[in-house]
Amino acid sequence: MTQISPLVIAPLIGVVTLLAWSFVRRNLSNRALSNVPGPPSSSFWTGNMGDYFDRRGWVFQKKVAEEYGPVVKLHGMLGSMMLYVYDQKALHSVLVKDQYTAYDESPEFITINSLVFGTGLLSTEGEHHRKQRKMLNPVFSVNHMRYMLPIFYQVTGKLRDAITARVCDGPREINMLSWMARTALELIGQGGLGYSLDPLTEDTEDEYATAAKAFLPAILELGSLRLVIRYIQKIGTASMRRRILDLIPYKPLQKVKNIVDTLDKKARTIYYAKKLAFEQGDEAVLRQVGEGKDIMSILMKANLMASEEDRLPESEIIAQMSTLIFAAMDTTSNTLARILHLLAEHPEIQERLRQEIVAARDGEDLSYDTLMQLPYLDAVCRESLRVQPPATLLSREAHKDVVLPLSQPIRGVDGLLMQEVTVPRGTTVIPGVLGWNRSKAIWGEDAAEWKPERWLAPLPSTVTESRAPGVYSHIMSFMGGGRACIGFKFAEMELKVVLVTLLSSFVLEVERPIYWNIAGVRYPTASEDSEYAELPLKVSIWKAGS
């Protein structure tokens, strides 16, 4: 039997003590939330978390969003309480007005991302986060998206060729989730890093791509250990913590360590190769993948030209690389898969969209402006993101006692109206993405239906005057405030380029049930109990006039 070193045991005892005290303190303060309506607890140990975070939790999430109003109390671990909110004023407070002074990501989220990615956008807070965001925001401008569009067409052209090779002899069932994942990875590789991660036309593996794909499942394997990582990080020096980590005989932990090492090593290799190319001049830059038009190349140039006060250290530029890969991979690929599934289920909408695309293309690649302004393509993307948001488990934590304002009073458990809610320090607040996106009060009685045509007519005043704090199209799928998805324009262009490429070449059909599961990013399986993520669709070559 493996002996655990006292060097490991002593810190763990301290961590358990700190964790126990944090639960006691939280339970004492959560009495302030007891009057907020919400579903009953399913278990003292897990509260409603087993229902909400379960892979089949979509039904429970819809119940929370639809039955209890725009501010809902949820029961957390060991009797603690949480809030689910989609009241407009409350969302604005959590995500925008008080985002740095009262609410931010949880310490666990910040710590894990810091250990994995370094000091990047996902692991900084307050003024530090604002400084990084200020440097990165211009990199994701519309002008830079225009420059990257030829890269996107080149990558999706390879996707088209790869699928054509598999269906040229007749219709065939293809796992489109796998192809969307590979395409999204190569698009963020070339468009984001100026580095090819997957040739698409060949089945080869890149170590950086393999590590990026394995990261999220590996983190989930750590289970409750994720809750104590923030306390462990406070013990001793980084080198001492590394020695402790090497001594812990826990395979999931060692697996995460190896993934992090791979991500860091490859990110540094790519960065220094770019730096050397910049030093050698424009000709060397043009020889690189992306020809210097990728996000990291633009960021590095902007950083060199920035004032001393605004300039980011080299370590923080490197940290953005793996952050970009992680943030852009599953979210976009699974959103694409969801749209393809919806189109396969609604062949009349698929055909209408195809006709719009084919007429606009006329055999040529679309310009950026034409691509982004195709009305039905835009409607399909917006409606899919509204009705089927890819991520519904996002949360914030109150870093101090704070009063949450409401745009409309809610009726408490005691029957009295509540004009505001006192939120104790340490309370987890879940922004109600699904609640807002499907609110009947905002979107009408058909709010839960997927109807792309709703975007082709003027939206109701309840939508246009709702002042959603989201950064995209009156919905919350890309969140809002300083931690909104910084790459939503990149993602929107990616969705549209992939759809244009696929629908002008292929017909998609669904022949068996597909089940969508709750996770950090929702994913499909071909059976309710399957652990294998896949989207099997029947794919055939589209022929004009057919």
PDB file of all heavy atoms in Angstrom, residues 45 130 156 159 184 217 231 252 320 359 371 399 448 460 476 505:
ATOM      1  N   TRP A  45     -27.473  16.747   1.736  1.00  0.00           N
ATOM      2  CA  TRP A  45     -26.074  16.724   1.292  1.00  0.00           C
ATOM      3  C   TRP A  45     -25.869  17.489  -0.007  1.00  0.00           C
ATOM      4  O   TRP A  45     -24.894  18.214  -0.155  1.00  0.00           O
ATOM      5  CB  TRP A  45     -25.603  15.277   1.113  1.00  0.00           C
ATOM      6  CG  TRP A  45     -25.646  14.493   2.382  1.00  0.00           C
ATOM      7  CD1 TRP A  45     -26.552  13.527   2.715  1.00  0.00           C
ATOM      8  CD2 TRP A  45     -24.773  14.635   3.501  1.00  0.00           C
ATOM      9  NE1 TRP A  45     -26.303  13.043   3.974  1.00  0.00           N
ATOM     10  CE2 TRP A  45     -25.207  13.705   4.477  1.00  0.00           C
ATOM     11  CE3 TRP A  45     -23.674  15.441   3.787  1.00  0.00           C
ATOM     12  CZ2 TRP A  45     -24.584  13.559   5.714  1.00  0.00           C
ATOM     13  CZ3 TRP A  45     -23.040  15.300   5.020  1.00  0.00           C
ATOM     14  CH2 TRP A  45     -23.485  14.386   5.967  1.00  0.00           C
ATOM     15  N   ARG A 130      -9.632  43.910 -15.866  1.00  0.00           N
ATOM     16  CA  ARG A 130      -9.994  45.034 -16.740  1.00  0.00           C
ATOM     17  C   ARG A 130      -8.831  45.408 -17.662  1.00  0.00           C
ATOM     18  O   ARG A 130      -9.029  45.728 -18.835  1.00  0.00           O
ATOM     19  CB  ARG A 130     -10.415  46.244 -15.902  1.00  0.00           C
ATOM     20  CG  ARG A 130     -11.848  46.202 -15.424  1.00  0.00           C
ATOM     21  CD  ARG A 130     -12.300  47.552 -14.907  1.00  0.00           C
ATOM     22  NE  ARG A 130     -11.636  47.880 -13.659  1.00  0.00           N
ATOM     23  CZ  ARG A 130     -12.162  47.689 -12.456  1.00  0.00           C
ATOM     24  NH1 ARG A 130     -13.366  47.170 -12.342  1.00  0.00           N
ATOM     25  NH2 ARG A 130     -11.511  48.025 -11.365  1.00  0.00           N
ATOM     26  N   THR A 156     -12.774  25.498 -43.569  1.00  0.00           N
ATOM     27  CA  THR A 156     -14.055  24.835 -43.824  1.00  0.00           C
ATOM     28  C   THR A 156     -14.079  24.170 -45.196  1.00  0.00           C
ATOM     29  O   THR A 156     -14.832  23.208 -45.406  1.00  0.00           O
ATOM     30  CB  THR A 156     -15.225  25.830 -43.693  1.00  0.00           C
ATOM     31  OG1 THR A 156     -15.009  26.957 -44.555  1.00  0.00           O
ATOM     32  CG2 THR A 156     -15.361  26.318 -42.262  1.00  0.00           C
ATOM     33  N   LEU A 159     -12.918  20.825 -44.429  1.00  0.00           N
ATOM     34  CA  LEU A 159     -14.010  20.075 -43.806  1.00  0.00           C
ATOM     35  C   LEU A 159     -14.941  19.525 -44.883  1.00  0.00           C
ATOM     36  O   LEU A 159     -15.318  18.346 -44.851  1.00  0.00           O
ATOM     37  CB  LEU A 159     -14.787  20.990 -42.851  1.00  0.00           C
ATOM     38  CG  LEU A 159     -16.135  20.474 -42.354  1.00  0.00           C
ATOM     39  CD1 LEU A 159     -15.940  19.270 -41.441  1.00  0.00           C
ATOM     40  CD2 LEU A 159     -16.907  21.574 -41.635  1.00  0.00           C
ATOM     41  N   ALA A 184     -13.753  23.302 -35.206  1.00  0.00           N
ATOM     42  CA  ALA A 184     -13.641  24.411 -34.252  1.00  0.00           C
ATOM     43  C   ALA A 184     -12.219  24.512 -33.718  1.00  0.00           C
ATOM     44  O   ALA A 184     -11.673  25.617 -33.547  1.00  0.00           O
ATOM     45  CB  ALA A 184     -14.631  24.224 -33.105  1.00  0.00           C
ATOM     46  N   PRO A 217     -12.851  16.978 -19.302  1.00  0.00           N
ATOM     47  CA  PRO A 217     -13.186  15.704 -18.654  1.00  0.00           C
ATOM     48  C   PRO A 217     -12.254  15.374 -17.493  1.00  0.00           C
ATOM     49  O   PRO A 217     -12.690  14.828 -16.476  1.00  0.00           O
ATOM     50  CB  PRO A 217     -13.028  14.681 -19.790  1.00  0.00           C
ATOM     51  CG  PRO A 217     -13.241  15.465 -21.034  1.00  0.00           C
ATOM     52  CD  PRO A 217     -12.643  16.801 -20.760  1.00  0.00           C
ATOM     53  N   TYR A 231      -7.538  26.412  -1.351  1.00  0.00           N
ATOM     54  CA  TYR A 231      -6.855  26.446  -0.059  1.00  0.00           C
ATOM     55  C   TYR A 231      -5.437  25.892  -0.186  1.00  0.00           C
ATOM     56  O   TYR A 231      -4.497  26.392   0.440  1.00  0.00           O
ATOM     57  CB  TYR A 231      -7.643  25.642   0.971  1.00  0.00           C
ATOM     58  CG  TYR A 231      -9.043  26.164   1.191  1.00  0.00           C
ATOM     59  CD1 TYR A 231     -10.146  25.459   0.718  1.00  0.00           C
ATOM     60  CD2 TYR A 231      -9.261  27.365   1.856  1.00  0.00           C
ATOM     61  CE1 TYR A 231     -11.435  25.946   0.909  1.00  0.00           C
ATOM     62  CE2 TYR A 231     -10.550  27.860   2.050  1.00  0.00           C
ATOM     63  CZ  TYR A 231     -11.636  27.141   1.574  1.00  0.00           C
ATOM     64  OH  TYR A 231     -12.909  27.618   1.756  1.00  0.00           O
ATOM     65  N   PRO A 252      -6.334  10.775 -11.272  1.00  0.00           N
ATOM     66  CA  PRO A 252      -6.963  11.939 -11.917  1.00  0.00           C
ATOM     67  C   PRO A 252      -6.163  13.231 -11.730  1.00  0.00           C
ATOM     68  O   PRO A 252      -6.086  14.057 -12.644  1.00  0.00           O
ATOM     69  CB  PRO A 252      -8.329  12.024 -11.231  1.00  0.00           C
ATOM     70  CG  PRO A 252      -8.623  10.622 -10.818  1.00  0.00           C
ATOM     71  CD  PRO A 252      -7.295  10.062 -10.400  1.00  0.00           C
ATOM     72  N   GLN A 320      -2.931  33.636 -22.399  1.00  0.00           N
ATOM     73  CA  GLN A 320      -4.149  33.805 -23.214  1.00  0.00           C
ATOM     74  C   GLN A 320      -4.270  32.705 -24.264  1.00  0.00           C
ATOM     75  O   GLN A 320      -5.378  32.440 -24.753  1.00  0.00           O
ATOM     76  CB  GLN A 320      -4.153  35.171 -23.922  1.00  0.00           C
ATOM     77  CG  GLN A 320      -3.893  36.378 -23.051  1.00  0.00           C
ATOM     78  CD  GLN A 320      -4.839  36.523 -21.861  1.00  0.00           C
ATOM     79  OE1 GLN A 320      -5.939  35.988 -21.867  1.00  0.00           O
ATOM     80  NE2 GLN A 320      -4.387  37.239 -20.847  1.00  0.00           N
ATOM     81  N   ALA A 359     -28.068  31.087 -53.350  1.00  0.00           N
ATOM     82  CA  ALA A 359     -28.340  32.274 -54.175  1.00  0.00           C
ATOM     83  C   ALA A 359     -27.338  33.379 -53.898  1.00  0.00           C
ATOM     84  O   ALA A 359     -26.873  34.073 -54.822  1.00  0.00           O
ATOM     85  CB  ALA A 359     -29.758  32.769 -53.911  1.00  0.00           C
ATOM     86  N   LEU A 371     -21.984  37.813 -45.700  1.00  0.00           N
ATOM     87  CA  LEU A 371     -22.126  36.666 -44.796  1.00  0.00           C
ATOM     88  C   LEU A 371     -22.903  37.048 -43.541  1.00  0.00           C
ATOM     89  O   LEU A 371     -23.851  36.360 -43.143  1.00  0.00           O
ATOM     90  CB  LEU A 371     -20.744  36.148 -44.406  1.00  0.00           C
ATOM     91  CG  LEU A 371     -20.704  35.057 -43.320  1.00  0.00           C
ATOM     92  CD1 LEU A 371     -21.206  33.740 -43.895  1.00  0.00           C
ATOM     93  CD2 LEU A 371     -19.293  34.898 -42.773  1.00  0.00           C
ATOM     94  N   HIS A 399     -18.908  38.497  -3.141  1.00  0.00           N
ATOM     95  CA  HIS A 399     -17.674  38.623  -2.363  1.00  0.00           C
ATOM     96  C   HIS A 399     -17.848  39.484  -1.122  1.00  0.00           C
ATOM     97  O   HIS A 399     -16.901  39.703  -0.374  1.00  0.00           O
ATOM     98  CB  HIS A 399     -16.567  39.172  -3.254  1.00  0.00           C
ATOM     99  CG  HIS A 399     -16.101  38.169  -4.269  1.00  0.00           C
ATOM    100  ND1 HIS A 399     -15.094  38.417  -5.167  1.00  0.00           N
ATOM    101  CD2 HIS A 399     -16.510  36.898  -4.540  1.00  0.00           C
ATOM    102  CE1 HIS A 399     -14.892  37.356  -5.931  1.00  0.00           C
ATOM    103  NE2 HIS A 399     -15.746  36.428  -5.579  1.00  0.00           N
ATOM    104  N   ALA A 448     -40.687  29.235 -25.890  1.00  0.00           N
ATOM    105  CA  ALA A 448     -39.922  27.987 -25.847  1.00  0.00           C
ATOM    106  C   ALA A 448     -39.800  27.317 -27.214  1.00  0.00           C
ATOM    107  O   ALA A 448     -39.061  26.340 -27.360  1.00  0.00           O
ATOM    108  CB  ALA A 448     -40.569  27.011 -24.861  1.00  0.00           C
ATOM    109  N   PRO A 460     -40.968  42.226 -30.641  1.00  0.00           N
ATOM    110  CA  PRO A 460     -41.923  42.922 -29.773  1.00  0.00           C
ATOM    111  C   PRO A 460     -41.216  43.906 -28.846  1.00  0.00           C
ATOM    112  O   PRO A 460     -40.045  43.738 -28.520  1.00  0.00           O
ATOM    113  CB  PRO A 460     -42.595  41.780 -28.995  1.00  0.00           C
ATOM    114  CG  PRO A 460     -41.677  40.613 -29.115  1.00  0.00           C
ATOM    115  CD  PRO A 460     -40.981  40.765 -30.425  1.00  0.00           C
ATOM    116  N   MET A 476     -28.968  36.111 -23.462  1.00  0.00           N
ATOM    117  CA  MET A 476     -27.912  35.990 -22.454  1.00  0.00           C
ATOM    118  C   MET A 476     -26.915  34.873 -22.750  1.00  0.00           C
ATOM    119  O   MET A 476     -26.086  34.546 -21.906  1.00  0.00           O
ATOM    120  CB  MET A 476     -28.545  35.744 -21.075  1.00  0.00           C
ATOM    121  CG  MET A 476     -29.337  36.922 -20.535  1.00  0.00           C
ATOM    122  SD  MET A 476     -28.366  38.433 -20.394  1.00  0.00           S
ATOM    123  CE  MET A 476     -27.036  37.880 -19.344  1.00  0.00           C
ATOM    124  N   SER A 505     -23.384  22.211 -49.688  1.00  0.00           N
ATOM    125  CA  SER A 505     -22.797  20.968 -50.213  1.00  0.00           C
ATOM    126  C   SER A 505     -23.547  19.710 -49.800  1.00  0.00           C
ATOM    127  O   SER A 505     -23.506  18.709 -50.511  1.00  0.00           O
ATOM    128  CB  SER A 505     -21.337  20.839 -49.743  1.00  0.00           C
ATOM    129  OG  SER A 505     -20.557  21.928 -50.177  1.00  0.00           O
TER     130      SER A 505
END
